[in-house]
Amino acid sequence: MRFDRAVVHAALGHLSLTPIRNVLRRFGIAIAFVLLMAILAVLSPPFATASNLFNIARQVSINAILAAGMTFVILTAGIDLSVGSVLAYSGAIMAGVLVSSLPLLVGIGAGLALGALLGLLNGVIITRGKVQPFIATLAMLTMARGATLVYTDGRPITGLPDAFVWLGEGDLGWIPVPVVIMGVVFLAGHLILTQTVLGRYVYAIGGNEEAARLSGVNVTVYKTLVYGISGLLAAVSAIILTARLNSAQPTAGSGYELDAIAAVVLGGTTLAGGEGSIGGTLLGAFIIGVINNGLNLLNVSAFYQQVVKGAVILLAVLLDRRLR
Amino acid sequence: MGHPAIESLGVMTTQTPPADAPLLQMQGIDKSFPGVQALHDVALQVRVGEVHALVGENGAGKSTLMRILGGVHQRDRGEILWHGRPLEIRSPLEARAHGISIIHQELNQVPGLSVAENIFLGREPRRALVWVDWTQMRLRATRLLADLGLSIDPRRRLGTLSVAEQQLVEIAKALSSEAELVIMDEPTAALTIEETQRLFGFIRDLRTRGVAIIYITHRLEEVFSIADRVTVLRDGQYVSTTAVADMTLDELIRLMVGRRLTEKFPKETVAPGEAVLEVRGLTRAGVFEDVSFVVHHGEILGIAGLIGSGKTEVAHAVFGADPIDRGEIYLDGRRVAIPSPSAAIALGIGLVTEDRKRLGLILQMSVRANITLPVIRTLAPAVFIRRRREQALVAQAIRDLHMAVTSPEQLARNLSGGTQQKAVVAKWLQTHARVLLLAEPTRGIDVGAKVEMYRLMVDLARRGVGIVMISSEMPEILGMSDRILVMHDGRITAEFPRERATQEAILASASGRPPSAV
Ligand SMILES: Nc1ncnc2c1ncn2[C@@H]1O[C@H](COP(=O)(O)OP(=O)(O)OP(=O)(O)O)[C@@H](O)[C@H]1O
Ligand SMILES: [Mg+2]
């Protein structure tokens, strides 16, 4: 005997899967994260130790901070491919200023200012020059990398002061300094996106740029600002990376933009803009970090790690699409 | 092609269904969305070759019921019989295969594709199975459009057409398929009288060919001129099905809103004050030419005109959304420059846009965020948005406009069409503007809500706001305006004081004919 779809439907009508779906939809990525942690804890005992977990957080901080800026950009339906190069350039300038024995704050300030400036430049080219974000930031990716190579002459800059290195390697109480910085960035990002006019405008622009403009949003200004934020946060990442490596490397950060984009997308922000959250991005960054760390602990070769990482990202995004 | 649902009910298939079985029967239909039960135990029965009107207030569930028929939504419960046999409609493609064609309320076309491509989307004429036969497609599209009295080049990108033209293309698309049932969800909301008449001609044609039509509208007069029977829904529930011949307009309204409506146009004339907005010689090459007019505090100035007359474009230009080539704008006697919408808002001008989905709302944001978007700066005196104040404002707006929302956090895209329109209006009530430009302010809202909207306009006028109402709805132009301007071909062709305005005179000026009646 064959079951009729309509009959089955009628019989099971009230046993709807909707509630489960809703939970999965809201917390899917968090559940995936917890599952991943549990699996790794079973497979590899050293994974779940406090020192390893802090180590992961320290490693994650760089990508997470880049991804925080990327979240702003993607929420406006844009993209910023230049973050890796901007990171390298600001890191080099910081190191350059510091090795000429100027004060710590001057070095850091110079790097942050450069990052923000390059980001704003991206923004101006996109809004005033009406260039696609993909193209504008791709050009910036190349130019900033070139400028870094010119500035460093292709060699690492070493001999940084201890106070600076502490920003990457030190701890504040129990907590690694980069993790504190990451926490501050995400808290601020979350407050901006949910509680301020800027945040509201970011979602509005990404959701429907023309409707936003007709509601009085100065789209040009706010979009430019958003790329400025992304550049600034790339420079914040540069502090941590340069301090951890105890040197500014001319090739630092290449390819980082892709991990940052992956973290944003894993975190549930749509590339079409207007929908997503920075909290999701943090989870996304941790998922990528945990996968990296776990595969290392499990002695998976670096080549396979890439394959696995890509597959996990794809899987997570596919699952997310199914649930929506 | 055996349908699994039919085969398994062996008894049903061996018997031919009764010859007089209605074309479509829906029974006990339930449908919930998170937080709302949109339909509860709804029934609908449509006969072969009848025009069946479906009416109800905003959010009553009309579109939802039709989306179930169109395969967009799946019902939670209930039964659909098609020619007397159970039918499952799992996708829009299946609906079409069964002969159900639907013109959605919210246009869902591909703006980047050409008109012809949109009409034949998914069923392009083919050559040698794989190649799209472009010539054939263009020819057929041209013929279809010509049948509807349209001279649109089928190669034009759809996004470049006006809302009304897009609506007509959508109608052409539905008519081009061999359907047994055509569903029209507010097809005339964006159309003028002439276009509506032409559409009615088509509907009558279809009816004589035995095609059934479900016709949704908020223009209730249309029910009486085109429909055979009418079904009323209220709050997601079935109310009644009646032959139109046995029904009066008042009776229909009472069934819809559950009470009697005393007056359709609660017009009160406010003694107009000083000029608040004056426009002199406004020109945008190729769009409108030498447009001058004055609006006074407390006055409602109606602007009538056909599609393409430039009336909406003038509003956009005054609002700073489109650039102008020449002309001056004065606010309260002072000359102002309005280079952008934000400048206009700062000066106290508001614009309720015509196309709520494309220009009016951010669909993936909440009702709350949409309503406060134009004033959000004033809600954040320091750094953070004052949540409490924002929520209070929004709650007030939802109450004032009787918006059918489940909560202020409901996403704009999940609202019924009419409620979306109210949300757009609510946005601009927050700005306390001294001049409000309203483009088609009552498009798609129900009779009761229309009266509320008019009350609101009168209320604003009484508080001294100057209102410019751009509308294609002749009754509201006549019923609500203190003064009426008519535009034709980018120019103002006539001006009537309220007492002297007649439908004939306005229509004559709007179509560029010499005003004989005046
Ligand atoms: N996708 C959705 N998600 C959540 N709620 C929805 C969705 N679609 C419709 N609704 C809700 O279902 C109810 C019925 O909406 P529907 O669009 O069917 O109304 P309608 O009768 O067509 O109204 P209108 O005349 O304004 O077009 C409304 O309360 C609406 O908010
Ligand atoms: Mg509807």
Side-chain angles (χ1 to χ4, degrees):
Chain A
M1 173 183 166
R2 281 170 55 201
F3 279 103
D4 174 47
R5 205 187 135 100
V7 174
V8 173
H9 187 88
L12 296 181
H14 35 260
L15 284 179
S16 154
L17 286 174
T18 323
I20 302 171
R21 269 179 101 90
N22 281 341
V23 170
L24 279 178
R25 178 159 44 193
R26 284 203 60 170
F27 303 109
I29 198 79
I31 295 170
F33 179 64
V34 172
L35 275 180
L36 190 65
M37 298 282 281
I39 292 170
L40 286 172
V42 171
L43 287 181
S44 163
F47 174 80
T49 57
S51 69
N52 185 51
L53 293 180
F54 273 133
N55 184 26
I56 292 176
R58 199 190 286 270
Q59 284 167 356
V60 162
S61 62
I62 294 165
N63 181 36
I65 293 170
L66 288 179
M70 192 69 78
T71 307
F72 277 80
V73 173
I74 290 181
L75 278 175
T76 65
I79 195 90
D80 187 352
L81 298 178
S82 69
V83 289
S85 301
V86 170
L87 182 160
Y89 196 16
S90 356
I93 295 288
M94 267 179 232
V97 172
L98 290 175
V99 293
S100 64
S101 61
L102 282 161
L104 188 64
L105 285 182
V106 175
I108 291 175
L112 293 180
L114 179 72
L117 205 73
L118 293 179
L120 289 173
L121 192 60
N122 273 333
V124 169
I125 293 168
I126 289 162
T127 54
R128 297 266 172 217
K130 308 221 184 305
V131 179
Q132 292 281 329
F134 189 97
I135 306 295
T137 59
L138 184 64
M140 181 60 80
L141 174 151
T142 313
M143 289 190 296
R145 179 66 62 191
T148 314
L149 289 166
V150 170
Y151 181 76
T152 59
D153 205 11
R155 285 188 293 268
I157 301 174
T158 52
L160 299 170
D162 288 348
F164 184 77
V165 173
W166 177 81
L167 290 171
E169 290 292 284
D171 295 290
L172 261 176
W174 292 98
I175 310 171
V177 178
V179 177
V180 174
I181 298 176
M182 172 170 70
V184 170
V185 165
F186 273 83
L187 188 65
H190 177 73
L191 287 177
I192 289 173
L193 282 179
T194 57
Q195 313 280 330
T196 70
V197 172
L198 170 60
R200 199 61 70 79
Y201 284 179
V202 164
Y203 282 99
I205 291 171
N208 182 342
E209 193 171 318
E210 186 58 13
R213 189 175 78 95
L214 290 173
S215 301
V217 178
N218 193 331
V219 174
T220 310
V221 166
Y222 282 91
K223 253 182 150 173
T224 309
L225 211 58
V226 157
Y227 285 89
I229 291 173
S230 181
L232 177 70
L233 290 181
V236 173
S237 289
I239 301 175
I240 298 171
L241 183 65
T242 312
R244 292 202 65 196
L245 298 175
N246 198 356
S247 66
Q249 301 284 342
T251 56
S254 51
Y256 280 23
E257 61 280 353
L258 297 181
D259 269 2
I261 294 168
V264 175
V265 173
L266 268 178
T269 300
T270 57
L271 287 173
E275 276 173 288
S277 72
I278 201 168
T281 299
L282 187 61
L283 266 177
F286 265 91
I287 287 181
I288 294 174
V290 165
I291 293 172
N292 280 338
N293 177 271
L295 294 176
N296 271 331
L297 290 181
L298 294 174
N299 286 322
V300 177
S301 94
F303 301 159
Y304 278 113
Q305 283 193 22
Q306 303 229 9
V307 177
V308 173
K309 201 168 81 179
V312 168
I313 291 172
L314 195 61
L315 203 71
V317 173
L318 280 176
L319 255 179
D320 195 47
R321 294 291 174 277
R322 291 303 304 250
L323 289 172
R324 265 159 212 269
Chain B
M1 280 206 301
H3 193 279
I6 298 169
E7 282 166 17
S8 57
L9 296 171
V11 205
M12 288 291 298
T13 37
T14 52
Q15 265 176 8
T16 43
D20 57 346
L23 176 65
L24 170 76
Q25 265 176 293
M26 301 177 87
Q27 279 154 13
I29 304 286
D30 282 8
K31 174 72 190 173
S32 316
F33 297 109
V36 237
Q37 177 142 24
L39 296 172
H40 181 73
D41 195 17
V42 169
L44 178 69
Q45 196 206 68
V46 179
R47 298 181 189 140
V48 175
E50 79 164 330
V51 178
H52 195 112
L54 183 61
V55 302
E57 291 177 289
N58 296 133
K62 306 179 294 293
S63 299
T64 304
L65 189 65
M66 293 304 107
R67 285 191 204 116
I68 289 174
L69 272 183
V72 180
H73 292 324
Q74 298 302 309
R75 64 189 192 278
D76 298 339
R77 208 160 310 185
E79 199 182 15
I80 302 176
L81 300 178
W82 182 245
H83 289 297
R85 297 185 188 127
L87 179 67
E88 288 294 317
I89 310 165
R90 280 170 293 244
S91 72
L93 269 176
E94 277 193 27
R96 202 152 72 191
H98 286 298
I100 299 174
S101 169
I102 177 163
I103 302 169
H104 286 283
Q105 174 178 17
E106 309 300 344
L107 299 170
N108 51 355
Q109 299 155 315
V110 189
L113 291 184
S114 72
V115 170
E117 284 169 301
N118 267 286
I119 293 178
F120 292 104
L121 200 61
R123 53 201 173 93
E124 294 83 357
R126 297 291 164 92
R127 244 182 344 179
L129 285 175
V130 275
W131 310 112
V132 174
D133 188 341
W134 294 104
T135 329
Q136 180 70 15
M137 186 155 115
R138 203 165 57 234
L139 281 175
R140 278 170 58 186
T142 313
R143 202 167 332 124
L144 266 171
L145 293 168
D147 281 350
L148 274 174
L150 286 172
S151 54
I152 299 171
D153 183 346
R155 283 167 300 189
R156 261 178 77 184
R157 268 196 26 222
L158 191 95
T160 62
L161 305 185
S162 73
V163 186
E165 289 170 324
Q166 291 184 23
Q167 184 71 62
L168 288 165
V169 170
E170 183 87 6
I171 291 170
K173 179 176 168 182
L175 297 184
S176 70
S177 63
E178 312 265 293
E180 283 182 86
L181 174 66
V182 179
I183 297 165
M184 304 187 174
D185 196 346
E186 298 190 36
T188 54
L191 302 188
T192 58
I193 298 179
E194 276 175 42
E195 290 158 336
T196 303
Q197 288 310 332
R198 221 175 292 139
L199 176 66
F200 282 2
F202 268 90
I203 292 179
R204 294 197 182 98
D205 256 22
L206 286 175
R207 177 167 52 187
T208 45
R209 293 198 335 235
V211 177
I213 287 134
I214 300 179
Y215 190 90
I216 299 180
T217 186
H218 284 297
R219 295 179 172 174
L220 298 178
E221 320 82 61
E222 293 178 354
V223 171
F224 293 90
S225 46
I226 193 74
D228 302 307
R229 293 195 299 162
V230 54
T231 292
V232 179
L233 299 184
R234 187 162 72 222
D235 292 334
Q237 305 202 345
Y238 172 84
V239 176
S240 67
T241 300
T242 327
V244 169
D246 305 335
M247 167 83 95
T248 64
L249 181 58
D250 284 345
E251 179 67 12
L252 185 58
I253 293 176
R254 200 185 52 74
L255 287 173
M256 269 177 69
V257 302
R259 66 194 144 83
R260 226 169 260 289
L261 274 187
T262 41
E263 45 179 357
K264 278 180 83 179
F265 297 106
K267 174 69 182 164
E268 278 174 44
T269 316
V270 181
E274 301 275 292
V276 56
L277 171 73
E278 181 171 1
V279 171
R280 280 190 211 150
L282 211 64
T283 298
R284 185 166 177 219
V287 184
F288 51 82
E289 191 81 29
D290 198 22
V291 170
S292 303
F293 61 87
V294 186
V295 195
H296 300 90
H297 284 282
E299 183 183 37
I300 300 177
L301 175 70
I303 301 186
L306 300 180
I307 293 160
S309 62
K311 58 188 196 302
T312 355
E313 288 78 1
V314 168
H316 277 242
V318 170
F319 189 63
D322 292 342
I324 51 173
D325 295 324
R326 260 192 319 283
E328 294 155 19
I329 300 173
Y330 296 82
L331 264 184
D332 280 319
R334 220 160 41 84
R335 177 149 186 208
V336 290
I338 308 179
S340 68
S342 46
I345 294 169
L347 287 166
I349 303 178
L351 169 69
V352 171
T353 50
E354 170 183 30
D355 186 345
R356 56 181 170 250
K357 264 181 105 181
R358 216 175 59 196
L359 305 175
L361 293 172
I362 315 245
L363 293 172
Q364 56 270 67
M365 291 204 324
S366 66
V367 174
R368 169 181 53 78
N370 269 293
I371 290 181
T372 54
L373 190 58
V375 292
I376 196 69
R377 278 165 170 288
T378 61
L379 291 175
V383 179
F384 295 118
I385 295 166
R386 295 275 164 85
R387 263 305 153 111
R388 287 267 165 69
R389 258 174 67 193
E390 184 182 20
Q391 275 157 355
L393 275 186
V394 171
Q396 181 76 38
I398 289 174
R399 237 176 299 128
D400 285 352
L401 298 183
H402 301 280
M403 293 171 63
V405 298
T406 50
S407 98
E409 301 309 313
Q410 192 174 5
L411 298 184
R413 80 165 143 240
N414 291 340
L415 299 179
S416 79
T419 311
Q420 287 181 340
Q421 182 66 22
K422 290 182 186 177
V424 179
V425 173
K427 266 170 75 168
W428 296 104
L429 293 182
Q430 307 309 315
T431 63
H432 302 292
R434 47 183 158 169
V435 177
L436 259 187
L437 310 165
L438 309 172
E440 311 291 352
T442 63
R443 177 170 291 169
I445 71 180
D446 65 54
V447 268
K450 262 185 199 166
V451 175
E452 284 161 31
M453 190 68 64
Y454 298 142
R455 286 230 171 81
L456 204 74
M457 284 165 59
V458 168
D459 208 46
L460 290 166
R462 209 183 290 131
R463 279 187 264 156
V465 177
I467 296 175
V468 180
M469 178 180 68
I470 293 150
S471 173
S472 315
E473 307 256 342
M474 196 55 76
E476 80 183 8
I477 283 278
L478 288 168
M480 292 309 297
S481 318
D482 293 304
R483 211 152 38 88
I484 297 161
L485 297 181
V486 186
M487 285 189 68
H488 171 72
D489 217 5
R491 288 172 178 278
I492 293 179
T493 50
E495 175 173 344
F496 303 95
R498 178 177 176 76
E499 313 77 57
R500 288 218 324 234
T502 64
Q503 174 155 340
E504 296 71 40
I506 293 174
L507 276 178
S509 320
S511 51
R513 276 173 273 148
S516 51
V518 187

